[in-house]
Amino acid sequence: MRKVEELVVHGVVFLVMLMLYYETKTFPYANIGGSLGAEWWPQVILTLGMVLTILSAGFEARKETKPGLNLDGEEIKSLAVSVAIFVVFLVASNVLGFAGAAPILMAGFIWQLGGRKITTLIGASLLCSICFTVLFGRLMEVPLPRGTGAIRALSYMLY
Amino acid sequence: MDAILQGLMTGLTPVNLLFAFLGCATGIIFGALPGISSAMGVVLLLPFTYGMEPTSAIILLVTNFCGSTFGGSITSILFATPGTPESVMTVLDGHPMHKKGQGGKALGLAVSSSVMGGLFSALMMVVLCVPLSKVAMEFGPAEYVALGILGVTAIAGLGSGSMLKTLISGCLGLVLATFGTDEITGTVRFSFGSSEFVNGVHFIPVMIGAFALSEVFMQAIELRQRNNQAQQYNTSIKVEFMSWAEFLRYKWVLLKSAVIGMVVGILPGTGGTIASVLAYSEVVRSSKEKEKFGTGMPEGVIAPETANNASTGGAMVPTLTLGIPGSGTTAVILGAFIMHGMRPGPLLFQMQPTLLYAVFISMIIANVMLFIGGIYGVKIFAQVSRFPYYLQGPLILLLCFVGSYALGVDIFNSWIMLVAGVVGFFMKKYKFNVAALVLGLVLGSLIEENIRKMMIISGDDWTVFFTRPIAGPIFLLAAAALLWPQIQNLIERRKAGGK
């Protein structure tokens, strides 16, 4: 199974490179900038990359592998949950701003990484979000998302 | 000689020493915080210099530049989140050292080598400022291509896994570097109909995602498998500086990296990031234990840290002697000179040599102060390592987000970081090489743009790359770097066969 898994991964890498290679064919021709057009370098690298991927796949196919999987269902589930929490945070930061969305990320990942106490979940999430907003947004004047509507207006009072 | 002595006296006045200390300390803090680059740190300090005497103002800004270049390594080592672009390569071996319980050693090596790199370049600048700036002007596209190729040759030696997978990872990085507007023709490449890709893919979100974000994703899985029993790193971090024996062991790594950092720093348009990549490449290339890089090799911390701090002195050369800023940070410092009524360039050396030498002397002082600042800076950030991982992980994610978002005040960079995090996760799982991906991404545009520029200049004559006096030898070195390990293998096999 591990061998099949490796071949599937190589297949995906090859297909991505092939797709990008075809994308280079759509670059518009520009009559400036010398004989090497905008597509020349990506095509060279992608061709090399595809050849290497085929060689590597051949090598993996002949290699003796241990039984089992590199990545099992539980691991994929955990990765999916982590990504989902981060996606929710990124979408929320556009609407709620950094101060509103940071507790979601904090609480989500504290749970995901094994923190189960409600006081820690709520307390640490709020405290860290406030600290980050004050430190980066207010004191360091690092730009942070402000959200939309009333939240945006309110954010100018905070940072 | 008089000017050097006067510069020394100016740099050592109590007021200027105080500003050098303040600049260095704030630089370490700014550098350690993702989202505040060296350039942004100098910009933040600029308003404070309005009412100051020009020499003190420039000393404050330049020492801040030195401090921030080191500061980035603290978060690189402790959290795999580079505080500044210059410290990206430090993650590769610095964080694995921390995971092996050698965080104090990694931080100590980072401080020691940063100080040595910075001191070396500042001292060299005092002596060689004018001739070096003339050599820098001889560098054209062919030389930049040669430097880039030399850096890329190290990809083949990176990591302990499959060499083919490492090379594929390098190719993916080189391709990723071509996303966005082609600077020569103006063609937008790989935009997939989205305006967000017009500016390309910046290496910082990719780097943060592929290293830090994927690490948190991995930890989430590992914690579940160990029933939430976090792996215990050595949390009582005590900075261990480089010992005399280590100095002797790594003297050539230090010297080579300092020279690389200084030379690359002098070249306009390069800076500390490229310097650290090239120094790391060189140390991998010349090592007998190539396969161990990425697993926590001390040389993997020493080389990039020496080079990035050595580049600060180098970067000041074209800025001061020619009025050409080599990087974003030096452009801001150039602006500060103009704001205080001075115009850097050849005339500045004739009109105000004392000021220039005072600046270099302050850089020497700032680098000595890094020893003290480094210990305290590290202690502050090391406190976070004492938290349980379910608190550390989310804090790292917030730092990652701030670092990626602040880069262009654009949430798109954070999405790129997330995608890089997922891709990095799979790359680690299937033993592809994340470091090679980043190396390709950083050096890709440098190589491509300069190949095409040189072809235009030479009228499509490929031989110019190999016949120019500086580019030719660098290409020979790159070829030797690539072929020598294979020849060595062959010789060893024959010897073994003979026995």
Side-chain angles (χ1 to χ4, degrees):
Chain A
M1 275 310 279
R2 211 179 280 261
K3 198 175 276 184
V4 177
E5 222 183 333
E6 282 286 351
L7 291 177
V8 169
V9 170
H10 279 82
V12 171
V13 173
F14 185 85
L15 280 177
V16 168
M17 287 186 175
L18 191 66
M19 189 197 79
L20 290 175
Y21 190 91
Y22 274 99
E23 181 73 15
T24 62
K25 303 265 184 195
T26 65
F27 295 165
Y29 173 75
N31 195 19
I32 50 167
S35 58
L36 304 178
E39 72 288 349
W40 170 76
W41 178 250
Q43 282 179 353
V44 169
I45 299 299
L46 285 165
T47 307
L48 181 66
M50 285 189 284
V51 171
L52 288 169
T53 309
I54 292 169
L55 286 175
S56 179
F59 182 73
E60 292 293 334
R62 281 187 295 161
K63 206 166 73 174
E64 290 286 320
T65 53
K66 292 175 201 160
L69 291 165
N70 276 327
L71 198 63
D72 60 33
E74 277 299 307
E75 291 177 330
I76 292 174
K77 205 173 120 188
S78 171
L79 175 69
V81 173
S82 298
V83 172
I85 297 168
F86 210 90
V87 168
V88 170
F89 163 70
L90 288 181
V91 174
S93 65
N94 258 346
V95 184
L96 302 173
F98 180 78
I104 299 172
L105 181 80
M106 283 294 295
F109 269 94
I110 289 174
W111 180 269
Q112 174 73 348
L113 293 166
R116 291 290 182 267
K117 283 184 192 164
I118 289 294
T119 45
T120 313
L121 268 169
I122 298 172
S125 303
L126 291 176
L127 188 69
C128 292
S129 306
I130 293 166
C131 288
F132 264 74
T133 309
V134 172
L135 177 68
F136 286 99
R138 186 98 188 175
L139 298 177
M140 299 291 184
E141 296 186 4
V142 172
L144 296 172
R146 296 187 174 279
T148 50
I151 294 170
R152 186 177 183 83
L154 195 68
S155 77
Y156 283 100
M157 294 165 71
L158 290 169
Y159 54 94
Chain B
M1 195 63 197
D2 277 354
I4 296 176
L5 282 175
Q6 280 179 9
L8 185 68
M9 299 307 286
T10 312
L12 288 175
T13 58
V15 176
N16 288 338
L17 277 176
L18 176 71
F19 282 122
F21 175 75
L22 287 175
C24 187
T26 50
I28 292 172
I29 296 168
F30 290 160
L33 297 174
I36 302 182
S37 61
S38 313
M40 204 193 286
V42 175
V43 169
L44 285 173
L45 280 189
L46 203 56
F48 295 102
T49 69
Y50 289 154
M52 285 166 59
E53 198 261 324
T55 311
S56 305
I58 300 300
I59 285 174
L60 180 75
L61 299 177
V62 169
T63 51
N64 183 271
F65 177 30
C66 294
S68 65
T69 307
F70 158 70
S73 65
I74 299 175
T75 40
S76 282
I77 291 167
L78 294 179
F79 312 123
T81 309
T84 55
E86 290 90 338
S87 58
V88 288
M89 300 312 282
T90 311
V91 177
L92 303 184
D93 283 279
H95 190 61
M97 276 183 83
H98 176 51
K99 283 167 82 174
K100 288 198 283 190
Q102 300 168 351
K105 186 79 232 173
L107 288 161
L109 289 177
V111 177
S112 311
S113 34
S114 294
V115 170
M116 283 187 251
L119 276 178
F120 176 84
S121 78
L123 283 169
M124 294 306 281
M125 289 307 110
V126 173
V127 186
L128 301 170
C129 195
V130 179
L132 282 178
S133 64
K134 284 179 185 161
V135 174
M137 286 299 99
E138 296 297 318
F139 263 69
E143 284 72 24
Y144 281 105
V145 173
L147 271 185
I149 298 284
L150 185 64
V152 162
T153 54
I155 287 178
L158 278 177
S160 55
S162 151
M163 191 199 196
L164 283 170
K165 283 184 176 177
T166 304
L167 291 172
I168 294 167
S169 310
C171 283
L172 287 173
L174 288 168
V175 172
L176 214 52
T178 65
F179 278 43
T181 309
D182 170 30
E183 291 202 3
I184 293 180
T185 59
T187 306
V188 178
R189 303 185 289 195
F190 303 118
S191 71
F192 309 104
S194 163
S195 61
E196 301 281 8
F197 278 112
V198 171
N199 291 327
V201 176
H202 200 282
F203 72 89
I204 288 291
V206 174
M207 174 85 195
I208 296 176
F211 280 101
L213 213 61
S214 64
E215 180 67 27
V216 179
F217 294 163
M218 288 270 193
Q219 284 293 329
I221 291 169
E222 283 176 25
L223 282 170
R224 195 165 295 224
Q225 285 167 346
R226 289 199 302 266
N227 291 324
N228 294 332
Q229 294 296 307
Q231 189 184 338
Q232 289 299 309
Y233 301 153
N234 182 8
T235 53
S236 57
I237 289 167
K238 188 172 173 286
V239 179
E240 292 173 50
F241 291 120
M242 190 181 288
S243 63
W244 180 245
E246 283 170 329
F247 173 76
L248 290 177
R249 191 186 315 151
Y250 301 126
K251 58 184 184 293
W252 295 117
V253 175
L254 283 161
L255 183 66
K256 272 195 290 187
S257 307
V259 171
I260 289 171
M262 194 181 71
V263 172
V264 172
I266 294 170
L267 305 174
T270 49
T273 313
I274 301 273
S276 63
V277 171
L278 289 176
Y280 188 86
S281 305
E282 173 52 28
V283 77
V284 173
R285 189 196 62 74
S286 57
S287 172
K288 286 178 182 164
E289 299 172 304
K290 292 183 177 63
E291 70 288 349
K292 287 189 181 168
F293 279 86
T295 62
M297 287 283 278
E299 295 98 314
V301 175
I302 294 169
E305 282 304 309
T306 309
N308 65 24
N309 269 64
S311 76
T312 55
M316 294 306 291
V317 172
T319 312
L320 298 178
T321 57
L322 305 167
I324 303 168
S327 63
T329 317
T330 47
V332 180
I333 293 173
L334 185 81
F337 267 95
I338 295 167
M339 200 180 82
H340 284 279
M342 295 169 283
R343 180 164 284 281
L347 281 179
L348 193 67
F349 248 97
Q350 291 164 20
M351 310 286 281
Q352 289 182 298
T354 309
L355 166 79
L356 290 181
Y357 286 115
V359 168
F360 286 134
I361 299 294
S362 317
M363 288 179 84
I364 295 172
I365 296 164
N367 279 297
V368 175
M369 285 175 177
L370 270 183
F371 262 121
I372 308 155
I375 296 170
Y376 287 102
V378 164
K379 277 191 175 168
I380 295 165
F381 285 90
Q383 296 306 315
V384 183
S385 294
R386 292 172 189 271
F387 295 169
Y389 197 80
Y390 63 74
L391 285 178
Q392 266 187 57
L395 285 175
I396 291 170
L397 293 179
L398 279 185
L399 281 175
C400 293
F401 173 76
V402 172
S404 63
Y405 179 82
L407 191 68
V409 196
D410 189 357
I411 199 90
F412 180 70
N413 281 330
S414 306
W415 284 104
I416 294 276
M417 177 183 73
L418 177 60
V419 173
V422 176
V423 172
F425 174 88
F426 282 105
M427 285 181 80
K428 284 177 184 174
K429 273 280 169 193
Y430 291 99
K431 307 279 186 287
F432 282 83
N433 197 313
V434 177
L437 175 96
V438 173
L439 205 64
L441 181 56
V442 174
L443 295 174
S445 54
L446 178 88
I447 299 171
E448 185 201 358
E449 276 167 30
N450 286 296
I451 287 178
R452 289 168 62 195
K453 275 182 198 165
M454 199 63 224
M455 292 302 280
I456 295 168
I457 294 168
S458 67
D460 290 339
D461 177 11
W462 283 95
T463 57
V464 286
F465 288 104
F466 312 104
T467 52
R468 286 173 64 97
I470 301 176
I474 302 177
F475 270 116
L476 273 179
L477 200 64
L482 208 61
L483 297 175
W484 181 240
Q486 322 300 332
I487 297 168
Q488 243 177 344
N489 272 345
L490 207 72
I491 294 169
E492 275 168 22
R493 257 188 242 163
R494 284 204 175 168
K495 271 184 189 170
K499 279 176 188 171

